[in-house]
Amino acid sequence: AALSLSVLGASAQGTWVPQATGFPNVSTGVFNVSVCDSATVWISSYDGSGAGADFRDYSMTIDGGATWIPGVIPAPATHAWSMIHGLDATTAWAVMYNAAAGSGGGIWKTTDGGVNWAQQGVGTIYNATSFPNVVHFWDANEGFTMGDPNPSGFEIYTTVDGGTTWVPVPSANIP
């Protein structure tokens, strides 16, 4: 019985498989992981060298990790990752903050697998005193984003059109 439990326990733990993320620098680490399905994963990066550089690199796979396709979010060079959220093989959102200023930032979206990215909500979400943290979509249209208090309450925005327009949640409705 002990041998059977030992064998079952060993096989239930699974196996870790190293992945070649496609990041251009050897010292680049994986900051966020967004799993869409068994084949599709989006990841964001960080500087693992210890130099503290602000990376805007991401990578994605559509074949379960056999091949990774790297890219760079077209945010300003002063921006760094808060989060990446992939919906599927073609659609993802990137939340970046201005690391040089310590505040400010925005959301970028791709609908073509990362070939092109467009900033969303320019002038309507995340101003110079914001600190964007999170973005999540339940489907292609409905989602939210949240940032640290600005100046005294958390910023939360919702969308029902894939991020084309964002509606602020009134601070009175945020506990």
Side-chain angles (χ1 to χ4, degrees):
L3 180 59
S4 295
L5 290 176
S6 173
V7 170
L8 287 174
S11 65
Q13 293 178 1
T15 304
W16 288 92
V17 178
Q19 300 283 309
T21 61
F23 288 141
N25 300 313
V26 174
S27 64
T28 302
V30 175
F31 184 65
N32 295 117
V33 177
S34 181
V35 178
C36 304
D37 56 47
S38 63
T40 309
V41 179
W42 294 80
I43 58 176
S44 65
S45 63
Y46 74 91
D47 179 9
S49 74
D54 299 320
F55 285 0
R56 294 168 290 125
D57 299 299
Y58 73 91
S59 196
M60 60 97 62
T61 182
I62 57 173
D63 60 10
T67 307
W68 287 86
I69 305 161
V72 178
I73 303 298
T78 57
H79 283 42
W81 282 102
S82 287
M83 182 181 174
I84 192 165
H85 175 75
L87 184 66
D88 55 36
T90 59
T91 306
W93 291 264
V95 182
M96 313 288 290
Y97 70 94
N98 185 335
S103 60
I107 296 177
W108 284 259
K109 178 184 180 181
T110 182
T111 57
D112 57 11
V115 174
N116 297 289
W117 293 82
Q119 188 173 3
Q120 293 191 306
V122 178
T124 61
I125 62 171
Y126 299 131
N127 62 34
T129 61
S130 299
F131 194 97
N133 289 314
V134 174
V135 64
H136 179 81
F137 276 76
W138 288 272
D139 56 37
N141 292 311
E142 296 183 73
F144 86 100
T145 185
M146 184 199 76
D148 284 357
N150 174 19
S152 61
F154 283 96
E155 288 182 86
I156 301 176
Y157 303 91
T158 61
T159 183
V160 294
D161 59 11
T164 301
T165 56
W166 294 89
V167 177
V169 173
S171 58
N173 294 349
I174 302 172

